[in-house]
Structure formats: structure tokens, C-alpha cells
Amino acid sequence: MAKKYKITIPESALHDTDLEPGDKLSLSVNHKQFNIRPANVIDQIPQINLWLYTAPALIMMVIFFVYIRSQGITQIALNGRDYSIANGATLLGTICGLVIFTITAIWTKMHRTGPTKDLYWRNIPTIVIATGLILVFSFYAAFWLLWRMFMDASFDIYTSSVMIFMIVAVVNYVMINLAMTLTTNVITNLLTIMIIGGMVFSILTNSSRDWWKHNFSFLGTAENSANFQFNVTLIFSGVLMMTLVDYLFVNLQKRFPGKKTLMLRWLLYGLSICIASIGLFPNDPEFHVLHDRISMWLVYIILILIATVRWLLPRVTKQFLVLSYVMGAIMGAEYIVFKLTDYLSLTAFELLEFGLAFSWILLLLQNIENLSSFGHNLFIVTVEEEKTTEN
């Protein structure tokens, strides 16, 4: 007879779920680890009623149709004109998606039905704005690609209206799903997408194709036609990072109270402020000195974090320490090579330093997130052999 084993689930752990005694669970083994989930896979997916995302999309479609009809336009271009599907979808999709995202996030927080229950109310506006910027970047990239594939394509007013409906409905569904599953990992992904997407968006839309011959900061100067997008990206990336730090350290400081954890928190706040300030004070003549000093403060804070992470980060792993020191050494070597030789241009040096620094920051935030979650929802259980009575 095969042996049977049992795991006793603490009452406090069961209280944090929607499970009831007697409910069936499915157990799977992956990489020598147990994964226990509800037996019904549908229970793991956020349930979204069809009308929640189709009804607002239908309203947006009617608005688009009525407005275009009032202008006497019968043929609408896919992209590149004032009255185009791209502009209509971007405007209506962003507005509708943000409204639905905000309502869903507030509703789930008030009813404590999702991860947003752990967010501060002050965090929601920042996340909403960041989500809106990412939506705009996504719309621009998607329609830019479609324009390159289908140049001079245009559609009649009825087909265009249906396309608007389908696009807005998809955006609404994604926004509702995002608001219902808004965890620290999702916010970290938003931060990554926002910074990289903002940079790519600014590079694609800038007025000078030779921007890389100047420096990385050129994208934020008045000489670049897309400087507003670049600077806004930096400003809200800094604010979004501050929101993420604020969120993560609530649980981290409960588990690891003390001056070291508090110092780590304030250093990350300082890093966030520097990122936002670089966008707030671009490298234009009137802000040149201040811009350079803030950039240096940013570098100093990162170097301090790398040098002191051994003592400031609770339970830091050896692998992360080694990786931190290696990345710090590479950044230092690049600085020496840039200063003493002509091998690296200013733009190449800035992009390499930015890539390394940003990657390390994401790794640090991931480590903090793991520690924060580890202390918040960890329950110790024991696998016991179930005794059977022999007949």
C-alpha cells in the first residue's frame, strides 16, 4: 500500500484565501516544489463580465461615428492625418481605458478583493498616470508599425467605427485585468515598460536622426521635438519608482525594522527623486549646471547602494552581492576608459552606464520584493506521514 502524507494548513493562511473547508485543490510538482491551487482553473482567472468592457467601447464607437459624420468625412485614413483611426483610437482608448482602470482599482481596494488592498490611496494617481503614458506609447508603436505595413490605407466610416470598437474593447479588458491583478511585480513591469517605452518613443519621434552624435541627454533638450515625451517619461518613472518603494517597504520594515532598512528606503527615495529631477530640469542652457549635478548625484547614490547593499539589504544573497560588485566594477572601468581614451563616445558611455545601472536597480527591487513577500505571507507547515490502521 502506498504511503500517504498530509499537510496541515494554518487557519490564518486559509483566512487569506476564498477557500472553505472541504474544497478540492489540485497539487502539482514543479522543480521539486509543491504548487497547490483550486481544482477549478477558472477560479484562478479574474472574472470580467462582458458588458464591463464592451458597453464603454460601444459608447466610444458612437462618439467616433457621430463626430466623423458631423465633419462630413466618409473615408478615414489608418494613420498620419488629423482625422484617422490611429488618432481616434489613441484618444478614445486612452481616456476610456484609464477611466475603467481607475474605477476598477478603487473598487477592488474598497472591497479588498485584490492586491490593490495593500496599496496606499496616494499610490493610485501615480499608477494611473504611468499606465496612461504606457497606453499612449503602445498605441503609437502599434499604429506606427501598421502604417509601415499598410501605407495610405483608409476605410469607410462604418468599418472604421467597428475597428475603434474592437480596439477600445480590448484595451478596456486589459485595463480591468491589470487593475484586478496589480501586484508589486506588475508595478515593476510598468516601471520597466515605461522607461524603455518612453526612450524608444522619444528616439522614434525626435526631429534629429543624428541625436546620438550629441549625448543621451539631447533627447530631453529643446532642440529635440520629442523632448516633452522624454522628460515626462523620466518624471513619472521617478514618481512610479517612489510609489513602488513606498509599497514594498511597508511589509519589509515590519519584518526587518531598524535604521539600516530605513536608510535603504531613503536612498531609493533619493534615487527616484534624481530620476524625476533629470526630466524636470533637462540639459538646456538654463538648467545645464543643475542637470549635470543631479546626474552626478544619481551616480553617487547608485555607487553608495552598490557599496553598502551588503549591510543595508536584509538577508542579501551571495549571488546578488557578487553580481553587484561585478556590475559596479564594469561601470567604474567604463568611466576610466571614457575619461582616458577616445574609445567610447559620450552617448555610448551614457547608454552603457544607464543600462547597467537600470538593470541593477531592477534586480535590487526584485530582491526587496521577494523579502517583502517572504515576510508577509509565509506560513510554516510540516509534511507528516498519515497513519493508517491495518485490518
Side-chain angles (χ1 to χ4, degrees):
M1 181 181 294
K3 293 183 178 180
K4 293 184 179 181
Y5 300 88
K6 67 177 181 179
I7 297 175
T8 303
I9 300 176
E11 184 180 357
S12 55
L14 191 64
H15 183 266
D16 289 342
T17 69
D18 295 327
L19 299 173
E20 297 290 341
D23 287 350
K24 291 185 178 181
L25 303 174
S26 63
L27 183 146
S28 61
V29 181
N30 187 20
H31 299 295
K32 298 182 179 181
Q33 293 181 347
F34 287 151
N35 292 317
I36 302 176
R37 301 180 181 182
N40 189 357
V41 179
I42 297 178
D43 294 339
Q44 305 171 35
I45 305 173
Q47 302 302 304
I48 304 175
N49 290 328
L50 182 67
W51 67 269
L52 287 176
Y53 54 92
T54 56
L58 186 62
I59 295 172
M60 294 297 106
M61 183 190 75
V62 172
I63 292 173
F64 177 82
F65 180 85
V66 171
Y67 179 76
I68 293 296
R69 192 68 178 267
S70 67
Q71 301 298 313
I73 302 172
T74 56
Q75 198 74 9
I76 301 99
L78 177 64
N79 204 347
R81 298 178 184 176
D82 293 335
Y83 303 104
S84 65
I85 296 173
N87 292 337
T90 301
L91 178 62
L92 298 175
T94 301
I95 293 174
C96 191
L98 282 185
V99 170
I100 287 180
F101 175 83
T102 306
I103 293 173
T104 307
I106 293 174
W107 189 89
T108 53
K109 179 169 177 58
M110 291 179 65
H111 291 79
R112 302 183 67 81
T113 58
T116 50
K117 66 178 184 291
D118 297 323
L119 281 173
Y120 291 123
W121 285 108
R122 64 175 179 266
N123 297 151
I124 293 180
T126 302
I127 295 173
V128 170
I129 294 173
T131 304
L133 291 174
I134 292 171
L135 266 179
V136 173
F137 299 154
S138 302
F139 272 119
Y140 180 86
F143 279 106
W144 179 83
L145 180 62
L146 288 173
W147 174 73
R148 300 290 295 181
M149 294 171 62
F150 307 101
M151 285 189 178
D152 301 324
S154 62
F155 304 87
D156 63 81
I157 188 171
Y158 301 102
T159 304
S160 301
S161 299
V162 172
M163 292 174 68
I164 292 291
F165 169 79
M166 295 174 62
I167 293 170
V168 177
V170 170
V171 169
N172 291 345
Y173 180 85
V174 171
M175 290 296 100
I176 294 173
N177 198 304
L178 180 63
M180 295 174 70
T181 58
L182 195 61
T183 61
T184 52
N185 187 43
V186 172
I187 298 176
T188 304
N189 291 336
L190 286 177
L191 177 65
T192 306
I193 294 170
M194 185 172 178
I195 291 181
I196 296 176
M199 286 175 51
V200 173
F201 182 82
S202 182
I203 290 172
L204 289 176
T205 57
N206 78 89
S207 56
S208 174
R209 298 303 173 190
D210 296 330
W211 66 270
W212 54 273
K213 294 182 180 179
H214 301 274
N215 52 56
F216 187 51
S217 297
F218 175 82
L219 294 173
T221 63
E223 297 179 42
N224 175 27
S225 61
N227 67 320
F228 178 76
Q229 296 94 313
F230 183 78
N231 293 327
V232 167
T233 296
L234 287 176
I235 292 170
F236 282 101
S237 294
V239 177
L240 184 59
M241 182 175 170
M242 190 176 294
T243 298
L244 179 60
V245 171
D246 200 25
Y247 188 5
L248 288 173
F249 274 80
V250 172
N251 291 323
L252 187 67
Q253 286 190 288
K254 287 180 181 178
R255 179 166 174 79
F256 303 102
K259 293 182 179 179
K260 292 181 180 179
T261 307
L262 185 62
M263 187 178 297
L264 177 61
R265 182 175 189 169
W266 282 104
L267 281 171
L268 289 172
Y269 278 153
L271 195 65
S272 306
I273 292 170
C274 286
I275 293 173
S277 299
I278 290 174
L280 193 61
F281 303 103
N283 196 21
D284 290 320
E286 61 269 30
F287 298 126
H288 175 70
V289 175
L290 182 58
H291 178 90
D292 282 354
R293 288 183 178 177
I294 294 173
S295 300
M296 290 308 301
W297 293 339
L298 177 66
V299 174
Y300 294 150
I301 292 175
I302 292 176
L303 292 177
I304 291 171
L305 281 168
I306 292 176
T308 61
V309 69
R310 183 187 191 94
W311 299 276
L312 297 183
L313 183 64
R315 299 188 181 181
V316 60
T317 63
K318 183 179 179 181
Q319 292 85 350
F320 181 64
L321 271 180
V322 172
L323 184 62
S324 299
Y325 294 148
V326 169
M327 294 180 74
I330 294 175
M331 291 171 68
E334 286 178 357
Y335 179 77
I336 294 173
V337 171
F338 171 71
K339 283 295 185 180
L340 300 182
T341 70
D342 296 328
Y343 182 74
L344 290 175
S345 66
L346 178 57
T347 304
F349 168 72
E350 289 179 335
L351 286 175
L352 288 171
E353 293 288 291
F354 169 79
L356 286 170
F358 184 60
S359 300
W360 185 81
I361 291 170
L362 290 179
L363 289 173
L364 175 61
L365 291 173
Q366 185 180 37
N367 275 268
I368 295 173
E369 180 186 350
N370 292 336
L371 283 172
S372 176
S373 301
F374 182 84
H376 179 61
N377 56 11
L378 177 70
F379 300 93
I380 304 299
V381 296
T382 304
V383 178
E384 300 176 353
E385 183 177 350
E386 190 173 4
K387 295 180 180 180
T388 58
T389 303
E390 295 183 1
N391 294 327

